[in-house]
Amino acid sequence: MSTTDAIRDAILAGAPGPELAALAIPESYRAAYVRRDEVDMFEGVESADKDPAQSLHVDDVATPELAPDEVYLAVMASSINFNTVWTSIFEPLPTFGFLDRLARESEWSARHARDEHIIGSDASGVVLRVGSAVRNWAPGDRVTVHCNHVDDQDPSAHDDSMLASNQRIWGFETNFGGLADLAVVKANQLMPKPSHLTWEEAAVNALCNSTSYRMLVSDNGARMKQGDSVLIWGATGGIGGYAVQYVLNGGGTPIGVVSSPERAALLNEMGCEAVIDRRAEGYNFWSDDTTQDESEWRRFGKKIRELTGEDPDIVFEHPGRSTMGASVFAVKRGGTVVTCAATSGYMVEFDNRHFWMKLKRLLSSHFANYAESWAANRLIDQGRIQPLLSTTHPLSDVGAAARSVHRNEVEGKVGVLCMSPEAGLGIDDMEKRERIGVDRITMFQRHAG
Ligand code: NAP
C-alpha cells in the first residue's frame, strides 16, 4: 500500500491525531501543476480558445521540506478558482515570476522556485504534521484553508494583512497549492472546517466567500447597510453568489445580473427578486473597441430603476473593461463601485464627469485579511452563508474542470476531489446539517443536476 493510500485509509477510518502523526509523509505526491517550459504554448491563440486541459498536468511531484511555521495537510478536496484559469492560460502573465521573487526572500521560501507550479488556492483536509513553531493546530485537525500568505514578521503585515508588502495568494503566487493530495500551508492560513459540510462543500468557500465579505461587509469594503440596494454582476458566479447572500443577510436588496433564464431562476430561488438577464437585454456597452455607448448605459440604468425604483447604492464589480463604464454610470449619486477583478480586460474606462459630478466612489478590494477570512468562515459554519458547490470533478480531471470555469459554463463553484475517494464524505454533524437545511446547502448542486 502506498504512503498516500495509508493516509487516506486512516482519515476515512477516523484515526485519531497521534495515529495520523505516526504515518510517514510520502516523498512525492500527486498534484496539478503548470510547467515553466510550457509558458509559451498558447502563443498566438485567442484567450477564449486557450484550453487549461492542455497546460495543467496531474502527476507526482517531490514533497518539499516543512518550515517551522507550516503544516502538511492531507487535502481531501479543493476547488477551481478563476486564478486557476489565469495560471493555466499564462495570463495576464506566467506565474513563475511570482515564485522566483518569493524564492529570493528567505532560505525557506527558496523552495518555491521550481519548474512546476503546483496550483490551487482552496482546500479542506486534515492536518498531518505541524512544524516546530506551530502552536494552535495539531495532527488530526479538520480544517479549511484561506489563501492569504503573508510574512507575519514583516511589520507592514500587522494591521490589515492584505496591505502587507509581501502579501501573496497561496497556490497562485506561491507554490505547493491545494489542487493536490498534499499541501504545504502556513499555520496562520488554517481555519476550522464547518462541521456540517462534506469535504468538497467545505473546500469551495474560502477564496470567493472571503473576497465577497471584504468587498461588501467589512470596514475595508463598501460597508453595506440595511436597506442598501446592490447591483451584482455575475450574480450566480463564484464571488457573485456569495455577494447575493451577503446582501440578503444584511437586509439589502440585491439586483443580480446573469446571462441566462436558468441563472435568473436560480437567483430567484436564492431569494433575489430583482434580476437582469444581460444576454436577453442585449446590452452593448462598447459600440466598437474604443467607444462606449452612453445610451446603452442609460438603458441599463433605466432597467435597474424599473426593478427597484432607485439607483444602486453599491455596484459589485469584477468583469472590468466590458462593464466598468456602465457600473460607474449606474451607481447612485455618492454611491460606491467596489471592484476586485477584470475578467474581460483590465484597461477600464469610465466617464469621469458622471463620476466626480455625482461624487461617486471607486473602491479597490483584494481577497481578505485573516480576520475577514475567519469572519466569513464563521458565517459558513453558522449556516448563515451556504456553500456554492455546483459540480465536482476528480483531481485527474482538473483540466476539464478549469475549462468549464474559463468558458463560463458553470454556476457557483467547481469542487475537486483530491484524497477523498468520492463526493459526500466528511460530514461531522448531520443534525446541524439538517437543522440548517440540506436543500439550502445543496441548492447549486441540485441546479447543476
Ligand atoms: P466565475 O465563477 O467565473 O463568475 C464570473 C461571472 O461573471 C460569470 O458567472 C458571468 O456571469 C460574469 N461575467 C463574465 N464575463 C462577463 C462580462 N464580460 N460581462 C458581465 N458579466 C460577466 O468567476 P469568479 O470566481 O466569480 O471570479 C470573478 C472574477 O473575480 C475573476 O476575474 C477572478 O479572477 C476575480 N476574483 C478576484 C479575487 C480577488 O481577491 N481579487 C477573488 C476572487 C475572484 P453571467 O454570464 O451569468 O453574467
Side-chain angles (χ1 to χ4, degrees):
M1 184 192 283
S2 77
T3 331
T4 304
D5 287 341
I7 293 170
R8 177 188 294 107
D9 287 357
I11 291 171
L12 294 177
E19 208 174 294
L20 289 172
L23 294 172
I25 297 295
E27 285 175 11
S28 64
Y29 62 100
R30 193 176 59 128
Y33 59 85
V34 290
R35 289 166 49 146
R36 195 186 286 267
D37 61 0
E38 290 186 346
V39 298
D40 295 326
M41 72 189 296
F42 293 127
E43 226 165 67
V45 181
E46 285 289 314
S47 249
D49 298 328
K50 294 179 182 174
D51 182 357
Q54 279 178 13
S55 54
L56 281 176
H57 303 272
V58 179
D59 212 337
D60 273 12
V61 296
T63 306
E65 218 183 315
L66 194 68
D69 61 345
E70 292 174 343
V71 311
Y72 283 130
L73 183 74
V75 182
M76 300 306 280
S78 180
S79 93
I80 303 294
N81 280 294
F82 220 90
N83 71 14
T84 322
V85 175
W86 297 127
T87 311
S88 62
I89 63 172
F90 307 110
E91 285 193 23
L93 72 178
T95 45
F96 288 94
F98 301 146
L99 305 185
D100 295 343
R101 269 196 297 284
L102 169 58
R104 290 196 285 272
E105 283 187 3
S106 75
E107 193 184 319
W108 284 109
S109 59
R111 293 167 302 164
H112 291 258
R114 284 202 186 174
D115 291 336
E116 313 91 39
H117 184 184
I118 301 150
I119 62 171
S121 301
D122 268 323
S124 66
V126 181
V127 175
L128 293 175
R129 284 277 200 294
V130 299
S132 56
V134 174
R135 296 170 300 282
N136 296 337
W137 301 94
D141 286 345
R142 293 155 88 88
V143 296
T144 59
V145 177
H146 72 69
C147 60
N148 188 5
H149 182 284
V150 294
D151 177 353
D152 51 21
Q153 290 178 21
D154 177 346
S156 67
H158 287 185
D159 181 8
D160 176 2
S161 57
M162 285 308 295
L163 296 184
S165 52
N166 56 9
Q167 189 281 329
R168 291 181 167 87
I169 298 295
W170 167 70
F172 177 57
E173 295 165 292
T174 81
N175 218 323
F176 317 126
L179 285 163
D181 287 337
L182 200 75
V184 172
V185 177
K186 279 183 187 274
N188 55 25
Q189 290 176 248
L190 299 177
M191 307 186 291
K193 172 187 168 289
S195 52
H196 61 294
L197 300 182
T198 64
W199 291 117
E200 59 280 10
E201 288 164 354
V204 299
N205 307 303
L207 190 148
C208 283
N209 180 39
S210 312
T211 301
S212 301
Y213 179 89
R214 181 175 174 114
M215 286 176 79
L216 286 179
V217 181
S218 163
D219 281 352
N220 294 311
R223 299 182 176 203
M224 192 201 80
K225 301 184 303 300
Q226 293 183 35
D228 278 357
S229 62
V230 183
L231 180 89
I232 300 165
W233 290 103
T236 59
I239 51 175
Y242 293 102
V244 168
Q245 297 185 64
Y246 281 116
V247 176
L248 289 168
N249 282 359
T253 305
I255 306 128
V257 186
V258 285
S259 62
S260 72
E262 294 74 26
R263 290 182 178 183
L266 181 57
L267 275 182
N268 290 152
E269 196 181 337
M270 290 175 82
C272 175
E273 287 165 14
V275 176
I276 298 176
D277 180 339
R278 66 182 171 100
R279 192 153 295 159
E281 298 287 341
Y283 295 118
N284 194 17
F285 299 133
W286 286 87
S287 40
D288 61 45
D289 281 354
T290 53
T291 322
Q292 294 198 64
D293 183 348
E294 184 168 329
S295 67
E296 283 294 272
W297 295 347
R298 288 190 187 283
R299 190 161 73 86
F300 181 60
K302 191 163 169 245
K303 178 77 188 172
I304 298 168
R305 285 185 186 175
E306 271 168 32
L307 289 168
T308 60
E310 58 182 12
D311 296 331
D313 297 276
I314 298 169
V315 175
F316 185 89
E317 166 64 46
H318 51 93
R321 183 168 176 79
S322 62
T323 55
M324 183 61 95
S327 295
V328 169
F329 177 83
V331 77
K332 85 168 191 195
R333 179 182 278 265
T336 301
V337 175
V338 57
T339 179
C340 75
T343 316
S344 66
Y346 49 81
M347 294 304 282
V348 299
E349 207 175 279
F350 57 84
D351 186 331
N352 204 20
R353 293 167 300 176
H354 292 300
F355 185 60
W356 96 70
M357 290 298 288
K358 297 199 174 141
L359 301 101
K360 302 181 180 192
R361 295 190 305 161
L362 181 56
L363 183 67
S364 61
S365 194
H366 183 41
F367 187 58
N369 62 31
Y370 294 164
E372 290 158 347
S373 302
W374 270 75
N377 187 59
R378 180 165 169 260
L379 286 159
I380 298 264
D381 185 55
Q382 291 172 340
R384 293 174 199 269
I385 295 288
Q386 307 310 327
L388 295 181
L389 177 73
S390 58
T391 55
T392 303
H393 294 247
L395 182 60
S396 54
D397 204 20
V398 68
R403 184 170 55 212
S404 70
V405 174
H406 184 29
R407 292 188 179 163
N408 190 12
E409 289 169 350
V410 273
E411 289 74 47
K413 296 288 305 170
V414 173
V416 176
L417 295 177
C418 299
M419 275 218 195
S420 184
E422 59 187 276
L425 306 178
I427 300 168
D428 297 312
D429 189 339
M430 192 58 89
E431 188 273 323
K432 177 178 165 192
R433 185 177 177 85
E434 273 156 19
R435 184 162 24 91
I436 291 166
V438 178
D439 276 2
R440 293 174 67 211
I441 296 167
T442 60
M443 188 185 294
F444 277 57
Q445 295 176 64
R446 283 187 287 108
H447 181 85

